[in-house]
Amino acid sequence: MMSSNQSTAKMNWDLGSYFPEYGGPEMKEFKKKLKADIATVQKKAAALPSLGADNMAEWEDIVLEAEDIMSRYSHIDSYIGCLASADGLNEDYVREEGEMSAMHAELSKLKVELIRALKGVPEEVFDRFTEREKLSDAAYYIGRLRILSERSMNPDKEILASDLGVDGISAWGRLYDTVSSRLEFDMKYPDGTVKTLPISQRRSLMEKPERDIRKAAFEGGNRAWKTIEDTAAAALNAISGTRLTLNKYRGIDHFLDVALYQSGISRKTLDAMFEAIYDEIELPKDILRFKAQTMGRKQIAWYDLGAPLDIESGQTLSWPDAQKLVEKSFSASYPALGAYAQSAFDKRWIDWAPREGKRPGGFCTGSLLTKESRIFMTYNETLGDVLTLAHEAGHAFHSHVMSDIRPYSHFYPMTLAESASTFGEMILTEGILREPSIGDTEKALMLDTEINHGAIYLMDIPVRYEFEKAFYEERQEGEVSVSRLKELMAETQRRVFGDVLEEGGEDPYFWASKLHFYIVGVTFYNFPYTFGYLLSRGLFSLFKKEGADFLPKYEKFLRLSGSDTAENVAKRSIGMDLETPGFWKESIRSLREPFEKLKELAGSLGLSAKG
């Protein structure tokens, strides 16, 4: 029997620009020097008193050295993340992830010293410091450190928290990643065939037009998640419990305060967005009612959310076809984006093939040293997978546009990161709809995918947000049991979806199967997707009105994303006000036009009313 470390996985992407080989002399020397430099700079910083008028030059050196260290850390951390995600069965890669977590803890200690330096510093001293020539364009980042300084424990406790985090909160996240990457489920096909598949392939099966296949994948997957429900619940309770405990000691009043800080937005903005969503909830409900109608049903089940229109497409979506489709669609509307995507394909920056041991999900990562990105996804020849490719390419293009900006200004929040990715999706959709060689069937499928995503961003993700809020409120009183987690998830789905969701159509294991709940570096890894989606719809509406004249504004928006709050980035680049429901409502209503187009096309194809 093959041991878990004897992986035969063959990755698609070229990682040679990171290091010539995994575990080679270049990688070992890079890691050794990085570790030594972190320790040296941390020790130097610890010896300095807090920032004052007489030690600004010394602290400037520390801040600049820390920036260089963060760039180098991003390089090796991205590399190891790529390897471990693409081949979760390789124990060397998984163990190296643990070492990266330990190194991150050491890096956190350096950050603790930067935060200590800024705590209680008078406004005049802080202003003089950030006005220094080499720091002036990093003032926003340093200002965010100053905010953290007011929400921090004393340095000794923060360092202890970093050390404990390696074998604590981070270990729980790694455990979930390892267990989920090795999870398999029995897929019972309608013809009686049973296949054992990796859980990463479940999503594509739940996006098939045949309802019985979706249902079988859903039920088979949930039987598999049931086998590790105790492990998943333990991880979720440990991750949330650690956060709540640290919040208490850091003087953070509410668990959402951390999410708002990480997202670079105000509570007023978040509340305005959700007020708009619930005021306009009938539009996404109408989309789901239409979906049910095309299936000959009155309501949907959870496993119907990703269902496409049940029509045969004449287009074979092989991987080369997907690349051509993305490049051509991008180029038709945004030539620079198309050229960048083609470059990424040519340079083999994407790991796309399904295989055993590959982790579920998709992401874009990159190095601040090489200024290159890598895209991770599992391509199963569906239109949804093509959109995933466009989504991740949008992320990569965002980094490309910022390639000449200093590292400190690359740390933009998810709220703005998801704007670029969703904008990429809409560019793809628009390009396909304008393409005369693409028939009505394919256009209907593309519109259906866009509309589907709208319903998911406006209903599924609010479920995640509302569930997580309710979970954290209960977790403050103690651990939440498996049975309560299932109950809480089903209750939340029922409350948000209302009469659109059929009786018994909930997914009580969604808290276990959704990777986002187990990401330890970011809390509430949900609402930024809806935020970015709706912000992108606003951006795209402007693009449709202004054409190519809008693109310089869009790229200014991207370049500013790590240099100010989301509200100010929007105001400075495109004049949008994000703190009022009006903007968000207009973005939601922009879904009505493609929805009407879809209904018209579906009617002409005989799909508007089945059964």
Side-chain angles (χ1 to χ4, degrees):
M1 182 177 176
M2 187 190 306
S3 77
S4 60
N5 197 41
Q6 292 176 316
S7 172
T8 58
K10 182 171 176 59
M11 302 176 195
N12 308 115
W13 48 21
D14 180 359
L15 302 179
S17 64
Y18 283 96
F19 298 101
E21 61 177 325
Y22 171 76
E26 294 87 355
M27 176 183 153
K28 288 179 178 177
E29 181 58 31
F30 185 96
K31 190 165 74 167
K32 180 181 176 182
K33 186 173 190 317
L34 180 56
K35 278 177 149 180
D37 288 350
I38 292 172
T40 298
V41 178
Q42 194 266 338
K43 185 177 179 181
K44 193 193 317 185
L48 283 174
S50 298
L51 178 66
D54 57 346
N55 63 5
M56 287 190 183
E58 290 89 342
W59 275 114
E60 179 183 63
D61 288 342
I62 298 291
V63 169
L64 295 175
E65 287 174 310
E67 184 174 31
D68 173 66
I69 284 171
M70 288 178 188
S71 296
R72 287 187 281 152
Y73 176 80
S74 81
H75 183 76
I76 191 167
D77 185 58
S78 174
Y79 178 62
I80 299 304
C82 285
L83 292 172
S85 297
D87 185 6
L89 298 180
N90 189 305
E91 291 177 350
D92 290 337
Y93 299 160
V94 175
R95 184 167 52 250
E96 196 73 49
E97 271 193 312
E99 290 195 29
M100 286 299 101
S101 183
M103 191 184 296
H104 185 268
E106 294 303 310
L107 189 57
S108 296
K109 295 176 186 178
L110 174 54
K111 192 173 182 180
V112 167
E113 295 300 339
L114 294 174
I115 290 168
R116 173 187 64 82
L118 298 169
K119 192 163 190 172
V121 169
E123 196 74 31
E124 180 187 349
V125 172
F126 178 80
D127 289 345
R128 283 179 55 198
F129 184 64
T130 54
E131 286 167 2
R132 294 173 73 88
E133 183 180 354
K134 293 181 180 179
L135 301 179
S136 60
D137 57 350
Y140 178 67
Y141 179 84
I142 299 170
R144 282 176 62 77
L145 290 180
R146 192 184 185 201
I147 293 171
L148 281 182
S149 74
E150 302 306 319
R151 301 175 175 180
S152 64
M153 302 179 285
N154 67 51
D156 287 344
K157 286 184 177 179
E158 289 291 351
I159 288 171
L160 176 62
S162 295
D163 283 338
L164 291 176
V166 177
D167 297 314
I169 187 171
S170 294
W172 285 106
R174 293 196 304 276
L175 174 66
Y176 177 85
D177 286 344
T178 300
V179 170
S180 65
S181 69
R182 297 184 181 189
L183 189 65
E184 296 178 328
F185 73 103
D186 288 335
M187 176 64 192
K188 298 181 180 179
Y189 288 90
D191 64 1
T193 303
V194 178
K195 288 186 179 180
T196 300
L197 300 173
I199 202 69
S200 62
Q201 293 186 30
R202 183 194 189 208
R203 176 186 166 190
S204 65
L205 289 167
M206 287 173 61
E207 293 176 350
K208 295 292 185 184
E210 301 88 355
R211 195 170 197 258
D212 49 2
I213 288 180
R214 294 197 304 273
K215 184 178 181 181
F218 173 77
E219 292 177 346
N222 275 2
R223 283 192 293 270
W225 286 112
K226 181 177 174 58
T227 65
I228 62 166
E229 62 180 7
D230 291 330
T231 302
L236 194 61
N237 274 290
I239 290 167
S240 55
T242 301
R243 285 173 174 156
L244 290 168
T245 299
L246 288 173
N247 286 351
K248 180 174 70 175
Y249 280 93
R250 286 169 175 156
I252 296 172
D253 296 329
H254 197 278
F255 51 78
L256 270 178
D257 291 345
V258 178
L260 293 169
Y261 171 84
Q262 291 175 337
S263 298
I265 64 172
S266 66
R267 183 64 186 264
K268 185 177 180 182
T269 293
L270 183 66
D271 290 344
M273 183 183 78
F274 275 105
E275 179 183 335
I277 289 170
Y278 293 126
D279 282 352
E280 302 291 328
I281 198 73
E282 284 305 310
L283 176 52
K285 283 187 175 182
D286 282 345
I287 290 170
L288 296 182
R289 291 184 183 110
F290 174 75
K291 180 191 287 289
Q293 184 182 8
T294 64
M295 296 188 293
R297 307 184 69 83
K298 293 182 179 180
Q299 299 165 303
I300 65 158
W302 192 263
Y303 54 79
D304 293 321
L305 279 177
L309 289 172
D310 191 2
I311 49 175
E312 287 293 329
S313 170
Q315 194 168 18
T316 302
L317 294 172
S318 66
W319 176 243
D321 288 335
Q323 294 178 83
K324 289 175 186 173
L325 189 58
V326 169
E327 186 278 328
K328 187 174 183 179
S329 299
F330 279 179
S331 295
S333 299
Y334 194 171
L337 181 58
Y340 176 78
Q342 187 59 55
S343 175
F345 301 149
D346 293 342
K347 294 175 181 177
R348 293 177 48 231
W349 284 359
I350 306 166
D351 188 70
W352 56 271
R355 59 179 172 272
E356 183 186 10
K358 187 171 184 178
R359 290 179 181 169
F363 61 79
C364 177
T365 183
S367 164
L368 289 171
L369 286 187
T370 63
K371 311 295 177 65
E372 291 180 358
S373 294
R374 293 296 187 276
I375 291 171
F376 175 84
M377 62 179 293
T378 300
Y379 186 73
N380 289 289
E381 301 188 343
T382 71
L383 207 55
D385 294 327
V386 181
L387 269 194
T388 297
L389 175 58
H391 179 100
E392 301 303 342
H395 281 307
F397 184 71
H398 190 169
S399 297
H400 171 70
V401 168
M402 298 178 70
S403 60
D404 62 336
I405 296 176
R406 70 182 302 160
Y408 276 146
S409 295
H410 276 255
F411 300 124
Y412 47 82
M414 267 186 71
T415 40
L416 299 184
E418 293 309 320
S419 300
S421 54
T422 311
F423 192 81
E425 291 184 30
M426 287 187 281
I427 291 278
L428 172 66
T429 302
E430 188 74 8
I432 288 175
L433 293 177
R434 288 178 179 173
E435 175 56 50
S437 65
I438 294 179
D440 284 352
T441 297
E442 283 71 32
K443 288 179 180 177
L445 286 168
M446 200 67 204
L447 279 169
D448 179 56
T449 304
E450 179 186 0
I451 295 305
N452 257 355
H453 280 199
I456 287 169
Y457 283 122
L458 295 171
M459 297 193 73
D460 173 359
I461 290 179
V463 163
R464 303 179 203 180
Y465 170 71
E466 298 292 352
F467 163 80
E468 199 159 15
K469 264 204 316 180
F471 166 66
Y472 268 80
E473 286 164 1
E474 293 193 16
R475 183 65 183 86
Q476 291 175 134
E477 306 303 319
E479 289 198 2
V480 181
S481 67
V482 169
S483 60
R484 178 55 183 154
L485 286 167
K486 291 190 287 187
E487 182 181 57
L488 187 59
M489 178 56 78
E491 286 174 355
T492 307
Q493 290 170 352
R494 174 65 57 195
R495 177 161 50 88
V496 173
F497 277 69
D499 63 0
V500 173
L501 195 63
E502 70 182 25
E503 189 66 32
E506 305 89 353
D507 180 3
Y509 278 104
F510 194 55
W511 60 270
S513 63
K514 197 64 205 175
L515 166 68
H516 292 172
F517 293 129
Y518 299 86
I519 293 174
V520 299
V522 180
T523 186
F524 277 78
Y525 201 96
N526 42 58
F527 69 78
Y529 279 99
T530 298
F531 188 105
Y533 172 76
L534 292 177
L535 183 51
S536 288
R537 293 206 70 86
L539 291 168
F540 197 71
S541 293
L542 290 173
F543 178 39
K544 289 177 75 172
K545 289 176 186 174
E546 300 178 22
D549 290 343
F550 174 73
L551 294 176
K553 298 177 188 176
Y554 174 66
E555 292 185 9
K556 180 180 180 181
F557 171 89
L558 297 182
R559 289 174 64 82
L560 284 173
S561 57
S563 301
D564 213 334
T565 65
E567 293 88 356
N568 287 341
V569 169
K571 284 179 183 176
R572 291 169 61 187
S573 59
I574 46 186
M576 289 182 177
D577 181 5
L578 306 184
E579 290 192 321
T580 59
F583 163 77
W584 302 107
K585 288 183 179 183
E586 287 301 312
S587 293
I588 294 167
R589 290 168 187 164
S590 72
L591 267 172
R592 181 64 68 182
E593 180 185 351
F595 183 32
E596 293 301 325
K597 284 182 183 176
L598 173 62
K599 288 194 288 185
E600 181 182 340
L601 273 176
S604 68
L605 295 168
L607 292 168
S608 56
K610 268 193 176 182

